[in-house]
Amino acid sequence: MRIGELAERTGTPRRMLRYYEEQGLLVPDRSPNGYREYCERSVDRVLQIRGLLDSGLPTRVIKQILPCLKQPRSIHVAGATPETITTLERERERMTQRIECLIRSRDAVSDYLEAVRGARRPATAGGPERPAVADYDLAVSA
């Protein structure tokens, strides 16, 4: 399949597919006229890459573990080097921190919405009733 079809089937812009190729994450064949040709497995590979990028992994780490991904949700590393294990442990910790940050932010937004929608502060001397707004700090990712 050509790049346009791969882009359509994966919801990934052509420009991003070219970037994946530049980074060594995706390796298409080339037809005699120079067009990129992708096999059917490329669809799953692009979805794996996107998922890993969305989880916060940098392309340099993805490039290391892509050869170990045989199925969409499993990593099989035969003879993993201590460096690979250390890298994955560090990235897992970074993901955990991002998840905790997202949970704090989601909870703060939920609390704020609950306060705005439901709670009302009493009116001040002759003034109208006002929404109760607490001091909400949204967690910022480090």
Side-chain angles (χ1 to χ4, degrees):
M1 83 185 81
R2 301 252 302 269
I3 194 168
E5 183 179 346
L6 183 61
E8 187 176 312
R9 289 181 59 188
T10 62
T12 305
R14 293 174 193 206
R15 184 179 214 171
M16 190 60 65
L17 295 173
R18 289 185 199 102
Y19 173 75
Y20 296 166
E21 183 182 351
E22 288 172 14
Q23 297 301 306
L25 304 176
L26 191 60
V27 183
D29 290 327
R30 293 285 183 161
S31 64
N33 60 5
Y35 290 158
R36 292 170 175 85
E37 293 287 339
Y38 298 92
C39 65
E40 189 63 31
R41 289 175 305 166
S42 297
V43 173
D44 286 336
R45 181 54 46 124
V46 169
L47 296 175
Q48 286 175 323
I49 293 167
R50 289 186 60 185
L52 292 168
L53 286 169
D54 287 348
S55 73
L57 286 176
T59 55
R60 66 176 169 69
V61 173
I62 294 171
K63 187 175 181 178
Q64 275 185 289
I65 65 171
L66 268 180
C68 307
L69 298 176
K70 303 298 180 206
Q71 298 172 349
R73 295 191 62 189
S74 61
I75 299 175
H76 299 283
V77 181
T81 66
E83 178 185 85
T84 300
I85 292 170
T86 300
T87 298
L88 290 175
E89 287 173 338
R90 186 175 50 247
E91 291 303 324
R92 181 186 60 191
E93 178 58 30
R94 214 168 55 83
M95 285 179 195
T96 300
Q97 290 171 357
R98 285 185 65 207
I99 290 167
E100 290 168 355
C101 179
L102 287 168
I103 289 170
R104 285 191 308 271
S105 296
R106 183 207 54 209
D107 291 348
V109 168
S110 294
D111 290 347
Y112 175 78
L113 290 171
E114 185 178 313
V116 169
R117 288 181 179 149
R120 295 264 178 202
R121 283 197 312 218
T124 56
E129 207 177 11
R130 297 187 315 245
V133 179
D135 181 22
Y136 294 102
D137 291 325
L138 296 181
V140 177
S141 179

